[in-house]
Amino acid sequence: MTFLLNLITAAVLYGTPLLYGTSGEILTEKSGNLNLGVEGMMFMGGALGLGAAFYYEKLAGAAVSAPLAVVIAIAASFLAGALAALLFSFLTITLRANQNVTGLALTIFGTGVGQYIGEFMRVREGTYVAVSNTLKGAFNGSPFPAFLQELPVVGRLLFSHSIFTYLGIALAVAMGLYLHRSRSGLYLRAVGESPATADAAGISVTRCKYLATVIGGGISAIGGMVYIMTVVGGVWNHEGLSGVGWLAVALVIFCLWSPYRAIWGSILFGGLLILYLRMPIDLIPDRIPDPALCGHRDRAGLYLHAQQPRQAAAGQFGPGVFPGGAVSHGCLPAFPAAWRGGTRRRRDAPEARRPGEFSSPGRR
């Protein structure tokens, strides 16, 4: 029972950023646009959201307000995603550029911008860019009182999550009501289904597409900020978000473009991701506990804290994975040396290959 509660709590933690990314992309696709740049927008939202909270705290000093820091991070990340989506909208709606190519270009562009901003902050500060423990508590803490969180089973399941989880659920519900219970939502769906018919009915197709794409991009970027501030723990690393945006795009299709289904779909994907990352070591012989890799990537490209190295016993889940019902960010069982370069080499393969040499699984 404890394991199941821990798994659900961790699935919600990992699924919350996916919920934002998926909700934003659903709104975009309901207007008839396909934005494959979610990954890039989440990178930009994560970098600018963390940077805004970090520099606000640095300027405010002892007078820092945790709720205001949360609002500033949300606003900065939303603005980053909205600007990126505005660029996408101009190219695809006004200039009629190919949506698939433009979306892929936005992913490359946004990823580069996010990494550049994060690296610029790190070099300027001379150390890792991270918010204080006070702000970490504000971003990760539950908005409910302690006595509700301490209720047996129910407290863990319903009242122990971060404020972003409840905001994400409320956003998905509001979006579902807007799309299916409002006149403007009906207009938006009409634009997505048949732009010519909507235009004949007097609906401004261009306006609807622009608004839905820009707002959807901002919502998706908030998911990047949530990932950095909750899952990663408020510390910037240049590949911490790798792959999360693509999971959000896949989740849109899995949930059949429904914001309601995105709620449980994001939790399901979060649970699958946490199982993928934290499988018992004895079931994966190639994974070894290596405390020297603290702060490096795990198998999904997520960077973990280097401040609290831990080591897992053989056959156990990753160290400190579910302390008190939450996922810790200590040292996890990491790749062996052959995996650290990003691709796995055969054990009997030579250490180096000639430039340009191709190696397929079926050939030595």
Side-chain angles (χ1 to χ4, degrees):
M1 184 64 177
T2 302
F3 169 79
L4 183 59
L5 288 176
N6 292 337
L7 178 60
I8 293 175
T9 304
V12 173
L13 174 67
Y14 273 73
T16 298
L18 293 176
L19 179 58
Y20 285 91
T22 302
S23 298
E25 182 62 13
I26 287 175
L27 184 62
T28 298
E29 294 192 18
K30 283 294 185 180
S31 70
N33 282 345
L34 173 62
N35 188 354
L36 296 179
V38 177
E39 176 92 351
M41 293 187 296
M42 293 184 78
F43 257 99
M44 294 177 64
L48 288 178
L50 173 62
F54 175 78
Y55 284 111
Y56 162 70
E57 182 182 28
K58 186 176 180 179
L59 292 174
V64 63
S65 169
L68 181 57
V70 173
V71 173
I72 290 175
I74 292 176
S77 58
F78 181 88
L79 180 61
L83 290 176
L86 180 62
L87 175 61
F88 172 86
S89 299
F90 175 73
L91 293 174
T92 57
I93 300 173
T94 303
L95 301 183
R96 307 289 184 177
N98 183 276
Q99 293 184 2
N100 296 331
V101 175
T102 307
L104 294 175
L106 180 58
T107 289
I108 298 172
F109 172 78
T111 301
V113 169
Q115 292 178 347
Y116 174 81
I117 293 174
E119 190 67 12
F120 175 81
M121 292 189 297
R122 187 192 67 81
V123 172
R124 181 176 180 179
E125 298 301 320
T127 183
Y128 289 103
V129 177
V131 297
S132 66
N133 290 332
T134 301
L135 289 192
K136 288 179 184 178
F139 281 93
N140 290 275
S142 171
F144 294 101
F147 76 91
L148 287 178
Q149 301 179 45
E150 295 171 358
L151 292 175
V153 182
V154 176
R156 288 279 304 281
L157 288 177
L158 300 180
F159 304 113
S160 65
H161 310 293
S162 73
I163 186 173
F164 295 106
T165 299
Y166 306 105
L167 288 177
I169 294 174
L171 174 66
V173 172
M175 187 179 296
L177 293 175
Y178 166 75
L179 291 174
H180 297 94
R181 295 290 186 270
S182 69
R183 183 179 297 274
S184 58
L186 175 63
Y187 289 168
L188 178 63
R189 290 190 292 123
V191 168
E193 293 292 337
S194 178
T197 304
D199 183 66
I203 302 172
S204 177
V205 174
T206 301
R207 178 174 175 270
C208 285
K209 283 180 173 288
Y210 261 93
L211 285 176
T213 304
V214 170
I215 295 174
I219 294 173
S220 296
I222 292 176
M225 183 273 297
V226 172
Y227 194 93
I228 293 296
M229 302 304 291
T230 59
V231 176
V232 182
V235 181
W236 175 254
N237 54 77
H238 69 282
E239 290 186 3
L241 279 161
S242 296
V244 178
W246 294 113
L247 279 178
V249 174
L251 187 55
V252 172
I253 303 172
F254 179 81
C255 295
L256 300 177
W257 295 268
S258 170
Y260 301 128
R261 294 191 183 99
I263 297 174
W264 63 262
S266 62
I267 298 176
L268 174 62
F269 271 47
L272 294 175
L273 179 60
I274 202 69
L275 288 176
Y276 175 73
L277 297 176
R278 309 312 200 260
M279 287 185 67
I281 300 173
D282 57 355
L283 297 183
I284 310 178
D286 284 330
R287 296 182 73 199
I288 58 173
D290 188 352
L293 291 181
C294 285
H296 291 255
R297 284 187 296 174
D298 65 9
R299 62 168 22 192
L302 313 176
Y303 274 72
L304 306 172
H305 286 188
Q307 293 90 338
Q308 299 177 349
R310 301 183 182 92
Q311 186 168 355
Q316 301 297 323
F317 272 71
V321 173
F322 307 123
V327 176
S328 75
H329 306 284
C331 182
L332 291 180
F335 287 129
W339 285 39
R340 294 175 197 167
T343 57
R344 184 179 181 182
R345 295 194 298 267
R346 296 175 59 94
R347 296 185 185 277
D348 56 348
E351 287 298 318
R353 301 185 188 277
R354 294 189 298 273
E357 181 178 356
F358 174 78
S359 174
S360 64
R363 287 199 247 167
R364 288 187 178 271

